[in-house]
Amino acid sequence: MKINLLVFSLLILLASCHSLSKSKVSKKDLKKDIELVTTEGTVVLRLYDNSPVSRTNFLSLVKEGMYDSILFHRVIEKFMIQAGERFDEDAFQKKNNLLNLSETVPAEINSIHYHKRGALGAAREGDDVNPERKGSFIQFYIVQGRTYTDSTLDIAEKRINKMLAYNKVINNPVNKSAFSQYQDLIENQDSNDTEAIAKLKSEFDSLAEIELKSMTPYRYPEAHRVAYKTVGGAAHLDQNYTVFGEVISGMDIVDKIAAVKTNNRDKPVDDILIISTSLINRQK
């Protein structure tokens, strides 16, 4: 166990050093919080040290002003609020081209951080087009969540394990050729591909059922179960999305945003913007 912990610590350190070397983020910045000023009020975020690549990416975007005038474009009450859509696409792309930013960030999923109320996570595309579960470089979500019971947590746990089993199947080298074909069909889909897509999807689902029976299932740590039953969160997202920070203050603002009127695509009817972001000294 000590050797594994040492290796993990070294990997974290190397990732942190590598990501810092490619950005304008300084070591002092790593000890600061992020003030998110929105049209609805201010939220303060704190990023986790053991998600170094996601942390440095987020800090870099803040320092470059990439989040200024970004929309909260997806809002689902009792679940989460998501930001990352551009209010001014032309201005954003001009700045993005100058900075030459990567479109994705490697997944940093661990058993320590989870989707409790106030968790900050990296939005991403689904496994069928993103089997490595890479996060978007710009889009993030803040969990508002709901409270659970033991029975609803058991249901969420089953959903997590089905997703983990499916991810193992599509990343298995034995299935590489079939999965590549599946991805090509999805990307270039037309009406003639529907049956072929459905057939391959069914095959992967069947393999995932077999994998599910043989793998060691994920179980919520007891502390996480207690938090989900008392404070709340979005338990079904655990182990499949990168959680890299949390809200330190301003959850009332998150609740306010989560309660706004939305259209049938979960987009707020009235624009909700991030006006500005900045690094601030930690108060606690």
Side-chain angles (χ1 to χ4, degrees):
M1 178 62 74
K2 289 183 178 179
I3 294 176
N4 289 337
L5 288 174
L6 177 60
V7 170
F8 179 72
S9 299
L10 287 172
L11 288 172
I12 290 292
L13 179 62
L14 289 171
S16 180
C17 291
H18 177 68
S19 56
L20 278 175
S21 68
K22 296 178 67 178
S23 72
K24 294 182 180 180
V25 176
S26 69
K27 289 184 178 180
K28 289 183 179 180
D29 295 332
L30 304 183
K31 299 300 180 183
K32 293 186 177 181
D33 289 334
I34 296 166
E35 186 178 69
L36 212 69
V37 180
T38 78
T39 49
E40 304 302 310
T42 299
V43 178
V44 177
L45 305 171
R46 182 166 297 170
L47 308 185
Y48 297 143
D49 291 336
N50 53 1
S51 304
V53 182
S54 302
R55 174 198 60 187
T56 301
N57 173 72
F58 200 86
L59 289 171
S60 298
L61 295 175
V62 169
K63 294 192 75 170
E64 295 290 355
M66 292 295 287
Y67 281 116
D68 300 352
S69 297
I70 288 291
L71 290 163
F72 279 97
H73 64 280
R74 185 169 177 243
V75 169
I76 304 175
E77 193 169 15
K78 296 184 179 180
F79 179 27
M80 58 89 223
I81 61 174
Q82 183 173 331
E85 190 171 287
R86 299 73 152 144
F87 182 73
D88 186 335
E89 182 68 29
D90 291 339
F92 179 90
Q93 286 301 335
K94 184 177 181 180
K95 187 181 292 186
N96 192 24
N97 291 339
L98 286 173
L99 296 174
N100 192 30
L101 298 171
S102 173
E103 289 295 315
T104 58
V105 178
E108 294 178 290
I109 300 168
N110 58 55
S111 59
I112 301 170
H113 302 309
Y114 60 110
H115 288 84
K116 63 184 179 181
R117 174 174 162 83
L120 171 69
R124 69 174 181 88
E125 292 186 297
D127 286 19
D128 284 342
V129 295
N130 178 28
E132 295 175 336
R133 300 182 294 182
K134 295 178 180 178
S136 165
F137 83 107
I138 187 75
Q139 293 203 24
F140 67 89
Y141 57 88
I142 298 173
V143 174
Q144 183 197 33
R146 62 182 180 86
T147 54
Y148 290 74
T149 63
D150 280 319
S151 61
T152 54
L153 281 173
D154 290 344
I155 292 170
E157 211 168 57
K158 288 179 181 179
R159 177 175 174 178
I160 288 171
N161 283 303
K162 286 185 69 174
M163 292 176 70
L164 292 175
Y166 186 82
N167 189 263
K168 283 188 177 184
V169 166
I170 62 177
N171 278 291
N172 189 329
V174 173
N175 302 319
K176 183 177 180 180
S177 178
F179 186 63
S180 294
Q181 180 187 358
Y182 178 59
Q183 287 187 300
D184 287 342
L185 288 171
I186 292 174
E187 184 177 356
N188 304 301
Q189 188 173 170
D190 61 41
S191 58
N192 296 322
D193 296 331
T194 304
E195 187 175 341
I197 291 172
K199 184 175 182 296
L200 284 169
K201 175 65 174 173
S202 179
E203 290 174 2
F204 293 135
D205 286 339
S206 296
L207 289 171
E209 288 295 326
I210 297 171
E211 178 66 37
L212 189 60
K213 293 176 182 177
S214 62
M215 74 181 202
T216 301
Y218 171 75
R219 297 286 184 247
Y220 293 116
E222 186 57 31
H224 296 188
R225 290 186 77 95
V226 170
Y228 282 134
K229 289 188 290 184
T230 54
V231 179
H236 63 286
L237 298 182
D238 284 358
Q239 295 303 297
N240 285 286
Y241 292 79
T242 297
V243 176
F244 63 98
E246 63 182 87
V247 173
I248 294 301
S249 67
M251 273 306 295
D252 57 324
I253 304 304
V254 174
D255 290 336
K256 186 178 179 181
I257 295 172
V260 301
K261 185 178 180 181
T262 58
N263 63 20
N264 59 4
R265 298 181 62 189
D266 300 318
K267 185 173 183 177
V269 173
D270 297 318
D271 288 339
I272 299 175
L273 286 164
I274 297 174
I275 300 170
S276 65
T277 54
S278 58
L279 303 185
I280 59 173
N281 292 326
R282 292 184 177 178
Q283 300 300 309
K284 56 180 179 179

